[in-house]
Amino acid sequence: MIDLHAHSNHSDGIDSPSELVQNAKLSGIEVLAITDHDTVSGWDEAIQAAKGAGVGLVPGIEISTRAELSPERGISVHLLAYLPDPTYAPLMDRLAMVRESRVGRAQEMAQRLAEDYPISWDEILLNIKPGSTIGRPALADALVRAGVVPDRSAAFESILHRRSKYYVSERTLPTAEAISLVREAGGVPIMAHPLIDFPAGAAESDLPKEHFLSFIEAGIMGFEVDHRSVPQLAKTWLRNLAFEHNLIVTGSSDYHGVGGKENKLGENQTAPEMLERILSQAFGSEAFL
Ligand code: AMP
Ligand code: FE
Ligand code: FE
Ligand code: ZN
């Protein structure tokens, strides 16, 4: 089993990188990618653990980006980057900037929340790993600890929803720039869970084809098609688009740990030949197989 999308406590996952690798081993995963949000800080521990456990490891990142569909309408695009050079400064500097802006944004949301709920920024900081990439899940956890909601999902469906008054939008990098930086760093950029916000019941003609063609133009190398949050209609469309443009398709769990998200390790998988294509096109860093 090959699962190319999983998070540790270096971002919004629950497991440490070693626990993540152990859990992958227990779930029968043969090759795992660690893809924390906007950071490579979990790589070393994951690599050591994978060598010890006999699990294959592909180091990666899930980069927060934003694409402008029109001057008034931007959408959040998560970009998986496999095997980029973790010392390539232009990319690492931009990621550091994104992580920093996430802190300011989380703090702003925490302030808004603290007006109505018994949570505090200090308590939130005490409960995350220092230096980890912060996001709404850390706020959700604080709301759970305060007894406001039963779990992260309940928080995301209400108080932390994009349309909630407590929501502050993130400042991230433009998708096309992120794609270029990943390519320059020798990595393979693949769009994570495309079209998860595509409304159920919408028609195929509503799919943003121009927008996807612009990502292909910018150098995107594949789509994560098999993911629980990608709508069925979009899956077929994406598979055809990938075939037409000779792009990679992957499948992954997007595991965040038990209690982090419902996604289970190995619930979606990547075909061996697709992993081969990733490995053969990457030149930024080493996979441990
Ligand atoms: P942010 O990037 O800070 O806006 O937060 C989005 C993150 O929250 C994503 O990386 C997801 O992994 C996580 N997330 C989204 N929905 C849920 C959910 N229902 N339960 C747990 N985590 C979620
Ligand atoms: Fe996440
Ligand atoms: Fe994501
Ligand atoms: Zn993810």
Side-chain angles (χ1 to χ4, degrees), residues 182-233:
V182 171
R183 297 281 302 250
E184 285 167 26
V188 174
I190 299 216
M191 196 191 295
H193 46 67
L195 297 163
I196 52 175
D197 296 324
F198 190 67
E204 188 165 326
S205 54
D206 299 330
L207 285 159
K209 177 128 194 201
E210 287 309 311
H211 180 58
F212 275 75
L213 292 177
S214 77
F215 294 143
I216 294 171
E217 181 99 342
I220 203 147
M221 295 168 86
F223 304 125
E224 183 186 56
V225 176
D226 290 309
H227 180 291
R228 67 156 68 196
S229 304
V230 176
Q232 196 54 48
L233 171 80

Side-chain angles (χ1 to χ4, degrees), residues 65-283:
T65 79
R66 194 170 172 80
E68 301 303 327
L69 287 186
S70 67
E72 324 71 62
R73 181 149 177 256
I75 58 158
S76 155
V77 172
H78 284 179
L79 189 70
L80 290 160
Y82 294 112
L83 299 161
D85 178 353
T87 67
Y88 183 65
L91 176 59
M92 296 306 134
D93 291 351
R94 292 295 265 155
L95 294 183
M97 185 209 82
V98 171
R99 290 195 303 274
E100 209 163 299
S101 91
R102 277 174 163 281
V103 175
R105 177 246 194 175
Q107 196 166 12
E108 165 80 32
M109 282 188 72
Q111 265 159 16
R112 293 188 189 183
L113 288 163
E115 288 174 20
D116 295 331
Y117 301 105
I119 64 144
S120 81
W121 180 240
D122 289 343
E123 195 268 348
I124 290 166
L125 289 185
L126 278 176
N127 283 281
I128 59 171
K129 185 181 163 56
S132 62
T133 306
I134 194 166
R136 279 181 288 163
L139 304 172
D141 291 346
L143 292 164
V144 173
R145 287 191 298 274
V148 177
V149 287
D151 55 31
R152 281 187 179 184
S153 286
F156 271 90
E157 278 156 25
S158 55
I159 304 170
L160 298 181
H161 194 274
R162 277 181 188 277
R163 285 190 292 275
S164 146
K165 65 172 178 171
Y166 306 106
Y167 183 80
V168 177
S169 62
E170 70 271 55
R171 273 212 10 255
T172 58
L173 31 158
T175 307
E177 182 191 343
I179 292 171
S180 302
L181 286 170
V182 171
R183 297 281 302 250
E184 285 167 26
V188 174
I190 299 216
M191 196 191 295
H193 46 67
L195 297 163
I196 52 175
D197 296 324
F198 190 67
E204 188 165 326
S205 54
D206 299 330
L207 285 159
K209 177 128 194 201
E210 287 309 311
H211 180 58
F212 275 75
L213 292 177
S214 77
F215 294 143
I216 294 171
E217 181 99 342
I220 203 147
M221 295 168 86
F223 304 125
E224 183 186 56
V225 176
D226 290 309
H227 180 291
R228 67 156 68 196
S229 304
V230 176
Q232 196 54 48
L233 171 80
K235 284 185 179 170
T236 312
W237 185 80
L238 287 162
R239 251 188 264 284
N240 288 336
L241 190 65
F243 184 75
E244 251 171 66
H245 294 271
N246 193 27
L247 301 178
I248 297 167
V249 295
T250 65
S252 323
S253 64
D254 201 359
Y255 171 80
H256 280 67
V258 174
K261 233 178 173 182
E262 285 169 9
N263 311 32
K264 308 269 184 301
L265 278 163
E267 67 174 30
N268 280 294
Q269 296 160 35
T270 295
E273 55 273 24
M274 292 296 173
L275 173 61
E276 272 314 311
R277 285 176 68 176
I278 292 173
L279 299 175
S280 69
Q281 294 185 73
F283 57 89

